[in-house]
Amino acid sequence: MSTGAHTVGVPPDGDGAGADLAVTPSADEGSPDAALASAVVRVAGTGGTVGGAGFLIAPDLVITCAHVVRDALGSPREHPGAPAGELTLDRPLAGPGRAAAEVAHWAPPRPDRTGDIAVLRLREPLPGAVPLAMAEAGSLWGHPVRALGLTRTFPDGIWQAGRLRGESAENRVLLSAADRRGGPLEHGFSGGPVWDEQAGAVVAMVVVAESSGARQSFAIPTESLISEIPALAAVLRPASPFRGLDTFLEPDADGYFGRDAEAEDIAGLLLRGDLPGVALTGPSGCGKSSLALAGVAPRLRAEGYEVLVLRADGDTPPRTALAAELLRLAAGPGPHGGDRSAALRGLEEELTRHGLVGAARRALGDPAGRYLLVLDQAEQLPARPEAAGLLFPDPHPEALRTLLTLRADFLEAAPSHPLLGPALARATVRPLLPMTRAQLSEVILRPLDRAPAVSYDPGLVHRVLDDAGAEPGALPRLGFVLDRLWDERAAGRLRFTSYEELGGVSDALGRHAEAAWRACAGPADREEALRLLTGLVRLPPGGRAPLRSTLTRAEAGETRWRIARALAERRILVLGGDPERGPTVELAHEALIDAWPALARQTAALRESPGASPPRRGDDPARERRLRQRTLAVLGALLVIAAVASSLLYLANTDPAPAPRGAAPAALPLPAQR
């Protein structure tokens, strides 16, 4: 794309030769010249008066200087309010096309040289325009930059190269020319973007000011724009649209893509199926939890169901976990300390007396309430037969629907489990198939709809799709690498080079985990760190794949807890809290069990010694001796009781007088039913 713009000054790395050299920008659509040409607009009033430049920061938003708007509309500069009138915007460097706009946010110029910012809202988008990505570059001193202006001499655009100098007291940065012969920016640069060659993004907006009688060029950096107009934070500081290793939850439904058909199918089964439950099965990493919580749960909530989520962890009794969930729904975070404990005990008693539906209706104040119970990671449910009547009552209430997520490798043994057996007996089993290429495309592309100034390098999406399609349980690895690509973006692009450096879908997670491991587990702490890893996984009976395990702070001990916190800062572990057990830590995702080499080795060692138990409660040797002594004492007492009971039973069944000859033998008592 040829724009016809010119450059004054010299390239940022030049030596001063070649000032006022006119050039044609690169035609590469990924170049800064092309990005700026696509987004820079000319701001004019209804009479055609040009006030200056501006640039797109969203498809319907342009940022410029307040004095540019005043000049375009012929409003006096001393007037503090936003001038009335319609503005006309066009892109002089990108061909025909115009759009009407009006002022959406206004920070007028102030005597202390702050403010002077206007945000314009377009009534319709400019065809083909792509917003510019803005960055906060921290210390900007000495950064080489380029700026684009629309001057009287060059109304179709002129570039100037320069460098950024120190910040002023007004939170502005000084723009110096690239060589000594270059002067300050003239009228027509105001409102234009300052492209930082080092940051690969726009870092400021030009505002031409005078200081001490000598004209100097200044720019307002990104952080100052946000400080003046806080509403810009959501646009200029977009959060990552990718979840990384985190499960999509119900509040994330708007950003959950790729499983609409499956979500509709399962919601239909729960609402209109013959059975009151659905068991969603599949291998680890296929997205069962996200589908249940961000796909199905919002659909049932729209039908009038309250959603209760019980995430099994293998340790917390289901009754306690349900009481905590009801307390959260009834009163938010709820009371703390003794009040919370008393409230939990009261809800547990309600669950015992009235069942799940009755207790929920009382706790939530809805006598006709209907409920969806999501049992996430049901393979971790503790084998507590007494909870079967609570979670899966018989007869099943019409007001209760149950959705389980269950790893496929546990499906064969599930019928013999005291909780999963009753659940599967009244549930439709739905296997979750791996995502198709089209579904994965949605996962990769649609999140960027929320960040219109960000895109992928050409060819990167196809490469990611090729790599993800061959990966079993690819979703957590894919989510992780996409989140890292977002962190590494430059000039509004998710870069191909970054993808290669990270290791792609296959290796990015493992490389990151190993780097975190080396940083957090030094030689002096290596043994304790390995014991921490052992406590984060457990081997279920039957030789099935390992599960992640929740470790409390008390079980870990302070040394391992310190290492766990350091790993959590690197998003490998997740810190949490349990109302009964206190602070906890666990793996960020089960995918780490295979992807993280250090953990994979430790898990293999644990599998080779099945008798070994994960270290718990600090592994205090003195405490272990006390436990063994108490256990031996209890066993000894039980043996004495058993011996006495056997003697009494023998005496009670022994006839002291011999039976008469020829009499029928007495009937022996039947053994008691167990």
Side-chain angles (χ1 to χ4, degrees):
M1 175 177 63
S2 177
T3 65
H6 300 277
T7 299
V8 297
V10 295
D13 55 354
D15 58 3
D20 301 326
L21 177 66
V23 298
T24 300
S26 165
D28 177 11
E29 68 174 10
S31 71
D33 295 339
L36 290 165
S38 175
V40 171
V41 301
R42 180 164 42 202
V43 181
T46 52
T49 303
V50 176
F55 57 97
L56 283 156
I57 56 174
D60 62 340
L61 293 178
V62 163
I63 193 167
T64 184
C65 292
H67 77 262
V68 167
V69 175
R70 285 177 174 171
D71 291 350
L73 294 174
S75 174
R77 288 199 173 189
E78 61 272 13
H79 192 278
E86 185 177 90
L87 297 159
T88 301
L89 310 180
D90 72 308
R91 294 184 300 153
L93 282 73
R98 294 175 180 272
E102 56 190 6
V103 176
H105 300 281
W106 182 259
R110 305 186 188 99
D112 61 357
R113 298 190 183 91
T114 60
D116 203 0
I117 304 165
V119 179
L120 312 179
R121 188 175 301 279
L122 280 67
R123 294 185 179 175
E124 64 278 337
L126 281 163
V130 178
L132 283 172
M134 296 194 70
E136 298 172 66
S139 176
L140 302 172
W141 182 273
H143 284 204
V145 297
R146 70 179 76 184
L148 176 63
L150 308 171
T151 67
R152 293 184 179 89
T153 308
F154 296 99
D156 292 331
I158 183 170
W159 302 102
Q160 186 171 88
R163 290 187 180 275
L164 294 173
R165 298 306 180 190
E167 293 190 15
S168 70
E170 300 84 21
N171 294 324
R172 298 181 177 184
V173 290
L174 178 65
L175 278 170
S176 74
D179 68 280
R180 294 174 183 172
R181 289 174 290 175
L185 302 182
E186 59 181 300
H187 179 81
F189 279 87
S190 295
V194 178
W195 180 275
D196 189 319
E197 306 284 1
Q198 189 169 317
V202 175
V203 295
M205 178 184 72
V206 177
V207 55
V208 179
E210 294 187 6
S211 177
S212 303
R215 292 194 60 198
Q216 293 180 316
S217 304
F218 289 91
I220 306 176
T222 302
E223 49 267 38
S224 296
L225 295 172
I226 297 172
S227 177
E228 288 276 5
I229 302 181
L232 288 174
V235 180
L236 302 184
R237 290 176 179 162
S240 173
F242 304 107
R243 294 286 294 167
L245 294 175
D246 295 340
T247 298
F248 283 87
L249 305 176
E250 193 175 349
D252 308 315
D254 289 343
Y256 177 65
F257 304 112
R259 293 285 196 187
D260 286 344
E262 291 91 336
E264 288 290 344
D265 173 54
I266 295 168
L269 287 172
L270 289 168
L271 292 170
R272 297 174 291 276
D274 295 331
L275 297 173
V278 172
L280 183 61
T281 71
S284 178
C286 71
K288 301 182 296 297
S289 297
S290 293
L291 174 57
L293 299 173
V296 180
R299 285 168 167 81
L300 263 77
R301 188 178 293 279
E303 297 291 333
Y305 282 79
E306 180 62 76
V307 180
L308 310 175
V309 180
L310 192 158
R311 192 201 152 200
D313 63 7
D315 293 311
T316 305
R319 193 180 309 276
T320 303
L322 274 178
E325 176 71 349
L326 288 176
L327 181 60
R328 181 187 68 83
L329 293 173
H336 300 280
D339 291 340
R340 179 178 175 85
S341 297
L344 282 173
R345 287 195 299 271
L347 284 170
E348 287 191 60
E349 293 173 2
E350 289 283 310
L351 288 165
T352 301
R353 288 198 300 267
H354 305 292
L356 176 53
V357 171
R361 286 174 170 174
R362 285 171 168 78
L364 305 181
D366 184 0
R370 295 183 297 170
Y371 304 97
L372 170 67
L373 174 62
V374 180
L375 290 173
D376 191 24
Q377 300 180 16
E379 65 273 0
Q380 299 246 35
L381 281 172
R384 293 176 178 265
E386 69 277 6
L390 174 65
L391 300 179
F392 316 109
D394 190 11
H396 199 96
E398 183 62 29
L400 178 64
R401 293 291 180 267
T402 306
L403 175 59
L404 297 84
T405 67
L406 180 66
R407 263 177 35 181
D409 50 328
F410 283 78
L411 193 56
E412 182 178 354
S416 61
H417 190 281
L419 293 184
L420 295 180
L424 294 179
R426 61 190 73 179
T428 302
V429 178
R430 266 291 187 267
L432 186 60
L433 301 178
M435 277 190 168
T436 64
R437 189 176 181 91
Q439 289 175 310
L440 289 173
S441 295
E442 289 191 51
V443 172
I444 296 169
L445 290 170
R446 288 189 61 186
L448 291 194
D449 292 345
R450 297 183 170 188
V454 183
S455 61
Y456 289 92
D457 267 350
L460 179 55
V461 172
H462 292 287
R463 171 63 183 278
V464 175
L465 284 170
D466 290 342
D467 292 348
E471 277 287 303
L475 283 180
R477 297 175 185 243
L478 174 62
F480 177 82
V481 76
L482 291 176
D483 193 42
R484 289 297 308 277
L485 282 173
W486 176 268
D487 293 341
E488 301 288 335
R489 71 191 185 281
R493 288 290 187 97
L494 305 185
R495 294 298 188 184
F496 214 120
T497 53
S498 298
Y499 180 77
E500 296 283 358
E501 292 168 359
L502 290 170
V505 175
S506 299
D507 297 330
L509 179 56
R511 290 185 186 181
H512 176 74
E514 278 296 285
W517 174 250
R518 289 191 296 269
C520 301
D525 295 330
R526 186 56 54 88
E527 183 177 348
E528 284 293 292
L530 289 173
R531 293 162 72 85
L532 169 67
L533 294 188
T534 304
L536 294 173
V537 294
R538 63 186 181 89
L539 295 177
R544 290 182 294 273
L547 300 169
R548 57 177 168 172
S549 181
T550 302
L551 197 64
T552 68
R553 182 171 185 168
E555 292 167 344
E558 289 307 308
T559 300
R560 272 169 267 171
W561 187 255
R562 172 176 53 80
I563 300 169
R565 291 182 61 181
L567 290 170
E569 291 175 359
R570 290 159 174 82
R571 296 184 289 181
I572 298 302
L573 304 183
V574 177
L575 299 178
D578 185 279
E580 298 295 327
R581 302 166 65 205
T584 61
V585 65
E586 63 179 328
L587 294 172
H589 198 280
E590 279 188 351
L592 284 161
I593 296 175
D594 296 322
W596 185 358
L599 181 57
R601 290 191 296 269
Q602 200 69 5
T603 305
L606 183 64
R607 187 181 286 111
E608 291 172 3
S609 56
S613 299
R616 296 287 182 178
R617 308 200 181 276
D619 291 338
D620 181 0
R623 186 178 184 279
E624 294 296 328
R625 285 195 299 272
R626 290 194 300 271
L627 287 175
R628 284 197 297 272
Q629 291 168 358
R630 292 174 185 172
T631 302
L632 291 173
V634 172
L635 288 174
L638 290 175
L639 288 173
V640 171
I641 293 171
V644 172
S646 297
S647 300
L648 293 175
L649 183 63
Y650 174 80
L651 293 174
N653 291 328
T654 301
D655 188 356
R661 189 181 300 268
L668 295 175
L670 293 175
Q673 294 288 336
R674 292 193 60 183

